[in-house]
């Protein structure tokens, strides 16, 4: 009877936590879609028309492209910086929450079992908050990177690459990173959540400890995915299809069996695309 009651409670907890994560993801994506629609309406020329006109025009040098882009860029005030930071933070929540769900659900399950034994862990929310806090910190770095790229005239008003050279180099760099030991090490922690927890002192009973554990897990996730996130500057920070494709690939990397060469294959594809772009091709 006690075992059955515990199983019922665990299923209920899993549904509650899963529903909360799903709701957080949906709300984040709705915000992204609303933001994209708002930005499209606010442009003097729709993003698609602008892209088409650039592609249909005679070939331009990176400097000429930069001069064309400069007029459409938004000036960076403090308020605009905060707006961009919030945009990145919400986008990271929408992209990364699904891939973190297995680890968060494991924490919730272990926490409930520990509570039944009289040794409760800190609430699951502390662990999840720590994970998302790490990606919020990454969002600050991404915002600074976007500002620097705009100052260098390497981004269009829709926050996509305005330079074939820049696009090609980012694609090749992201592809090469997929083959590095650093990528493998960080990905292994994301693919084996329990191994990660045991390797870092086990589950925590105190809130700050759970927060720190989640933050630590988020850092490994950033180490695994930062190069993929840089691809947003190639396809467009506000390109919904590009965002979705990266999010789905990140999820696949973590959920598919480690023996599958998903990262290696993707790395090869990215390198080939980068070479193609540098040779004059278009994405």
């Amino acid at each position: 009877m006690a075992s059955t009651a515990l199983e019922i409670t665990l299923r209920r907890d899993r549904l509650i936590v899963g529903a909360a994560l799903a709701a957080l993801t949906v709300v984040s994506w709705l915000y992204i879609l609303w933001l994209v629609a708002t930005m499209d309406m606010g442009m003097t020329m729709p993003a698609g028309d602008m892209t088409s006109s650039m592609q249909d025009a005679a070939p331009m040098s990176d400097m000429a492209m930069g001069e064309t882009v400069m007029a459409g860029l938004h000036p960076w005030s403090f308020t605009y910086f905060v707006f961009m930071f919030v945009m990145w933070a919400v986008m990271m929540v929408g992209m990364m929450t699904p891939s973190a769900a297995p680890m968060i659900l494991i924490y919730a399950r272990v926490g409930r079992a520990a509570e039944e034994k009289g040794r409760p862990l800190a609430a699951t929310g502390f662990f999840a908050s720590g994970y998302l806090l790490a990606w919020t910190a990454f969002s600050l770095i991404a915002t600074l990177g976007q500002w620097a790229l705009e100052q260098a005239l390497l981004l269009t008003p829709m926050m996509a690459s305005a330079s074939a050279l820049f696009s090609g180099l980012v694609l090749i760099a992201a592809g090469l990173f997929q083959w590095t030991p650093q990528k493998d090490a960080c990905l292994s922690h994301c693919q084996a959540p329990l191994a990660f927890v045991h390797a870092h002192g086990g589950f925590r009973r105190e809130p700050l400890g759970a927060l720190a554990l989640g933050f630590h897990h988020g850092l490994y996730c950033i180490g695994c995915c930062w190069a993929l996130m840089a691809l947003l500057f190639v396809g467009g920070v506000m390109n919904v299809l590009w965002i979705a494709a990266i999010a789905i690939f990140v999820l696949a990397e973590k959920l598919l069996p480690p023996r599958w060469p998903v990262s290696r294959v993707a790395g090869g594809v990215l390198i080939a695309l980068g070479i193609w772009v540098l040779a004059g091709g278009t994405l």
Side-chain angles (χ1 to χ4, degrees):
M1 289 291 293
S3 177
T4 302
L6 177 59
E7 290 174 0
I8 293 173
T9 302
L10 290 173
R11 282 198 295 270
R12 184 197 64 190
D13 288 353
R14 186 162 55 246
L15 286 173
I16 293 173
V17 174
L21 295 175
L24 183 61
T25 302
V26 169
V27 169
S28 299
W29 275 97
L30 288 176
Y31 175 80
I32 293 170
L33 293 172
W34 170 82
L35 195 59
V36 170
T38 302
M39 291 180 68
D40 283 345
M41 292 174 61
M43 297 290 292
T44 55
M45 179 186 297
D49 293 344
M50 180 177 291
T51 302
S52 298
S53 64
M54 289 181 177
Q55 291 176 344
D56 294 339
M60 302 171 66
S61 67
D62 285 347
M63 181 176 295
M65 182 72 78
E67 292 173 353
T68 302
V69 166
M70 181 171 58
L73 295 179
H74 194 290
W76 279 74
S77 63
F78 176 76
T79 301
Y80 187 71
F81 183 91
V82 172
F83 174 77
M84 286 291 107
F85 168 68
V86 171
M87 178 200 75
W88 273 99
V90 174
M91 185 163 60
M92 290 301 102
V93 170
M95 294 177 71
M96 301 312 301
T97 298
S99 65
M103 177 71 231
I104 296 172
L105 289 170
I106 287 174
Y107 185 97
R109 179 182 179 85
V110 173
R112 172 61 71 177
E115 183 177 352
E116 293 292 327
K117 296 178 182 178
R119 299 191 299 273
L121 302 178
T124 306
F126 287 104
F127 177 86
S129 297
Y131 178 86
L132 296 178
L133 181 62
W135 277 104
T136 301
F138 174 83
S139 299
L140 178 59
I141 297 173
T143 306
L144 291 170
Q146 181 184 332
W147 171 81
L149 291 173
E150 285 198 11
Q151 300 308 301
L153 305 181
L154 292 175
L155 295 182
T156 69
M158 286 304 291
M159 294 172 278
S161 173
S163 164
L165 177 61
F166 173 70
S167 296
L169 292 177
V170 171
L171 285 164
I172 292 173
L176 290 174
F177 182 74
Q178 294 292 104
W179 288 77
T180 62
Q182 290 76 18
K183 169 73 179 190
D184 293 339
C186 292
L187 182 58
S188 66
H189 285 283
C190 297
Q191 291 175 325
L194 282 178
F196 161 80
V197 172
H198 291 312
H200 294 83
F203 293 95
R204 305 292 198 273
R205 298 184 62 180
E206 67 282 359
L208 286 180
L211 188 74
L213 184 64
F215 186 83
H216 202 166
H217 186 59
L219 291 181
Y220 275 111
C221 193
I222 292 171
C224 172
C225 302
W226 69 269
L228 295 173
M229 296 304 168
L231 295 175
L232 289 169
F233 291 122
V234 175
V237 176
M238 284 285 94
N239 184 327
V240 175
L241 293 179
W242 201 254
I243 296 170
I246 294 175
I248 291 171
F249 177 75
V250 167
L251 182 62
E253 265 194 328
K254 294 182 179 182
L255 295 184
L256 291 176
R259 64 180 179 276
W260 289 24
V262 178
S263 298
R264 298 289 192 269
V265 172
V269 171
L270 290 173
I271 293 171
L273 284 175
I275 294 173
W276 167 259
V277 170
L278 289 179
T282 57
L283 293 175

